[in-house]
Amino acid sequence: MTIPGPARLHDHLAEAIKDPDPIRVGDDLICLRFETMKVYSALGAVRHLLETGAVRTGDTLIDSSSGIYAHALALACHRYGMKCHIVGSTTVDRTLKVQLEILGATVEQVPSSNNLQLDQNLRVRRIAEILRDNPSYHWMRQYHDDIHYLGYGAVADLVDQVAPAGPLCLVGGVGTGASTGAIAAYLRDRGRDVNLVGVQPFGSITFGAGHTQDPEMIIAGIGSSIEFRNVRHELYDRLHWVSFDYAMSAAVDLLRTSGVFAGLSAGAAYLSALWEHNCDSSRQHVFLAADTGTRYVDSAFSRHAEARPMDTMRPREIDSLDELAVPWSAMSWDRRESALTRREEFPSATPSH
């Protein structure tokens, strides 16, 4: 699928790479394949901070990241003449780290850990230490500040173009909530009938799976062991929890059948979207591939011989979080709130800025 239009000369790489490639990968199934999706989030947030005077050109912006947001924030800072400090997970590999450093970002990584909670807690603790020593730094708070919703209105515009009519189902990793949640909120504000399906790894507390564990490894970027206060639980209709093994198998199938080389969260979203489409073929299904598969070559794609056939994987449909079980569980969330949601900070589904 292509969207015709004249070639456009961009003023900065960040503007050039943010737009996804919409690719049809099945009947009424569309993949939005991003090079790095969170460029939308970072550009929108930094632009808003500058326009409102919260920061000035030359200030230092700091945040924690497992990789995608680090690249996005470094590009946004480069675009707007800001300094950037990243406290990264070990999933920030050498290829990305070198790019960040050349872009002018300061990068430090916490000690290696396969424990999601330890990794995220260490990163947030390190940011607190840096802010104590450098009070002029601005913490972007990608996990908490809803300014990260702002940039995704443009993605909603694109979804409206590639799927211009009829009911939709949007599927993607939850993470901070500022991608899937924001896109669905913008579309619903325009009157679109949108079911929102969030994808989580086992072990993430965001939707109550903290008591479970994936024996293989965590899927970076889409889960949390700490409270993410900009996740608006009441936006989500369905949830899927997908293991590394199943996400890897689906990511391999996505590459094999469509040529789309994307990360583990994309594999999990693809798997979930196929299932949701089988359950409700009346909707067009759009799933997000937030980044490329480059950083997963060694940990996932090199194991392609182990990938399970797609028709052998099916979710355990559950009615209670107590029934969650690896490798794949699915549940109707029905747009209900969570005890973790702080309504006084985020009073509506519509971005407030």
Side-chain angles (χ1 to χ4, degrees):
M1 178 181 295
T2 59
I3 299 176
R8 179 183 172 190
L9 181 62
H10 297 279
D11 293 326
H12 193 273
L13 178 72
E15 305 289 348
I17 69 169
K18 64 180 175 60
D19 291 341
D21 299 309
I23 302 164
R24 188 179 298 282
V25 298
D27 293 338
D28 291 322
L29 183 60
I30 297 169
C31 173
L32 289 189
R33 185 267 189 194
F34 296 81
E35 183 168 339
T36 175
M37 181 180 66
K38 287 191 176 179
V39 168
Y40 276 101
S41 179
L43 284 174
V46 174
R47 185 164 53 243
H48 177 79
L49 290 171
L50 285 166
E51 289 173 350
T52 58
V55 299
R56 294 179 297 179
T57 300
D59 284 352
T60 298
L61 308 182
I62 183 172
D63 215 339
S64 162
S65 175
S66 62
I68 301 176
Y69 185 77
H71 188 209
L73 184 59
L75 285 171
C77 286
H78 190 273
R79 166 72 175 82
Y80 288 111
M82 315 293 291
K83 297 174 184 175
C84 180
H85 191 121
I86 298 294
V87 177
S89 154
T90 51
T91 54
V92 177
D93 61 20
R94 183 174 180 273
T95 300
L96 176 55
K97 187 171 184 289
V98 168
Q99 290 183 70
L100 297 176
E101 290 172 344
I102 294 173
L103 284 169
T106 300
V107 184
E108 55 179 285
Q109 291 173 278
V110 298
S112 177
S113 173
N114 283 327
N115 182 290
L116 179 64
Q117 181 173 12
L118 179 59
D119 177 77
Q120 290 178 328
N121 283 338
L122 285 174
R123 284 189 270 145
V124 173
R125 189 179 308 146
R126 178 58 186 145
I127 285 177
E129 294 171 353
I130 294 170
L131 290 173
R132 280 197 298 269
D133 295 336
N134 302 274
S136 66
Y137 285 12
H138 181 88
W139 183 15
M140 292 298 293
R141 292 164 53 88
Q142 67 149 326
Y143 301 146
H144 307 308
D145 196 331
D146 64 346
I147 64 171
H148 291 91
Y149 278 60
L150 297 175
Y152 288 108
V155 184
D157 292 339
L158 179 61
V159 173
D160 260 337
Q161 293 177 49
V162 299
L168 289 172
C169 179
L170 178 67
V171 185
V174 177
T176 65
S179 55
T180 48
I183 298 167
Y186 279 113
L187 286 168
R188 288 170 181 167
D189 282 348
R190 298 168 190 176
R192 294 299 300 266
D193 175 6
V194 180
N195 272 3
L196 179 57
V197 179
V199 179
Q200 286 268 274
F202 289 94
S204 173
I205 72 166
T206 306
F207 284 89
H211 62 289
T212 63
Q213 190 172 15
D214 187 340
E216 186 70 50
M217 65 175 284
I218 63 171
I219 301 174
I222 65 169
S224 176
S225 66
I226 60 176
E227 180 186 359
F228 283 3
R229 293 200 299 273
N230 63 5
V231 174
R232 296 172 183 168
H233 299 74
E234 67 272 22
L235 293 177
Y236 292 84
D237 296 282
R238 296 264 294 164
L239 268 298
H240 285 248
W241 292 265
V242 181
S243 70
F244 167 86
D245 182 29
Y246 275 34
M248 178 270 287
S249 297
V252 168
D253 185 82
L254 181 62
L255 176 57
R256 181 179 290 131
T257 59
S258 70
V260 175
F261 181 46
L264 287 177
S265 67
Y270 170 55
L271 182 66
S272 303
L274 284 173
W275 181 259
E276 292 295 325
H277 182 263
N278 288 337
C279 296
D280 182 6
S281 60
S282 67
R283 293 178 179 272
Q284 296 183 82
H285 287 67
V286 178
F287 71 93
L288 306 182
D291 64 343
T292 71
T294 303
R295 65 175 172 160
Y296 298 105
V297 169
D298 291 332
S299 63
F301 287 97
S302 65
R303 297 169 54 178
H304 60 87
E306 303 170 27
R308 298 170 182 266
M310 293 292 284
D311 60 5
T312 66
M313 298 183 288
R314 59 187 298 123
R316 172 178 179 163
E317 193 69 35
I318 63 173
D319 297 314
S320 166
L321 293 172
D322 294 333
E323 301 170 9
L324 275 169
V326 175
W328 182 13
S329 294
M331 178 179 180
S332 293
W333 188 259
D334 298 326
R335 305 191 190 184
R336 63 181 181 267
E337 296 178 28
S338 165
L340 293 176
T341 306
R342 297 191 176 180
R343 300 290 295 172
E344 69 276 10
E345 292 191 39
F346 306 111
S348 72
T350 305
S352 57
H353 298 286

